[in-house]
Amino acid sequence: MIIILLRCILDMGNIDKSVLKNIYQASKIGIESAEYLFGKVLDRDIKSQLNNYVKQYSNIISQTEKILKNMPDKTLESLNTKNQFMWNGIDNISSYANKQEIANFLISSSKKGIESIISYSNNDMVNDNVKKIANSYIKCEKQNIQNICKVIEKN
């Protein structure tokens, strides 16, 4: 009985770690994508939104790091996101991309982030603190979508 209980506890820790790792990586990729696009975008409204993305993702990363740093293995040190953002098509955005193309990319990326985190966090074994961070990430992405839509509607 004790062995089964210990396995359940270990499984819960692994699930939490998996959710946190995905939130952390998605947020890091969001920051890298925003920074990459910032150099290609001329529109001030889009640049402002990209700055907001970086602030929001940085806040989520901070929340995630607080928990990951306390995990027994070196989970945080093993996460490498450098240039992973290229997979989602950002490298196809040229310096000449118009506001609508960039907005479509940002909306699509946010929707992918939401789907990814929902799929990981919809588990009864996920710790409540981890679910709060997952919900913060999802809320952030939904807000990003609304904000970028407002920028497009403005013109």
Side-chain angles (χ1 to χ4, degrees), residues 12-154:
M12 286 173 62
N14 287 334
I15 291 169
D16 290 343
K17 188 186 323 179
S18 177
V19 173
L20 289 168
K21 284 171 71 172
N22 280 285
I23 293 168
Y24 181 89
Q25 288 178 318
S27 297
K28 288 290 273 186
I29 290 168
I31 288 172
E32 291 170 6
S33 296
E35 289 171 345
Y36 178 83
L37 285 174
F38 198 83
K40 293 185 168 261
V41 174
L42 299 176
D43 185 88
R44 281 186 286 153
D45 293 330
I46 297 281
K47 282 191 176 213
S48 175
Q49 288 306 311
L50 293 173
N51 279 328
N52 287 336
Y53 279 33
V54 171
K55 288 176 190 172
Q56 291 172 336
Y57 291 135
S58 295
N59 182 28
I60 291 168
I61 286 171
S62 176
Q63 294 173 45
T64 305
E65 285 177 337
K66 286 177 187 173
I67 298 174
L68 286 174
K69 284 180 181 176
N70 293 322
M71 294 201 161
D73 60 357
K74 304 229 184 267
T75 301
L76 191 57
E77 294 171 16
S78 69
L79 296 176
N80 179 14
T81 61
K82 208 66 175 154
N83 296 325
Q84 285 185 10
F85 66 92
M86 290 299 193
W87 67 266
N88 62 13
I90 196 168
D91 53 334
N92 293 328
I93 304 269
S94 72
S95 299
Y96 308 107
N98 66 38
K99 189 186 279 192
Q100 186 66 51
E101 290 172 316
I102 293 169
N104 289 343
F105 169 79
L106 293 170
I107 291 168
S108 172
S109 296
S110 290
K111 287 180 178 179
K112 287 178 190 174
I114 291 170
E115 291 170 11
S116 170
I117 300 309
I118 285 175
S119 70
Y120 280 100
S121 64
N122 276 350
N123 186 319
D124 293 336
M125 292 177 67
V126 174
N127 176 296
D128 286 341
N129 289 331
V130 174
K131 281 186 179 184
K132 284 180 187 176
I133 295 172
N135 288 334
S136 292
Y137 176 86
I138 292 165
K139 183 179 176 183
C140 165
E141 290 291 27
K142 287 180 177 179
Q143 188 65 50
N144 288 341
I145 291 170
Q146 289 177 347
N147 289 343
I148 205 69
C149 286
K150 288 177 186 174
V151 167
I152 296 304
E153 290 170 2
K154 190 171 145 180

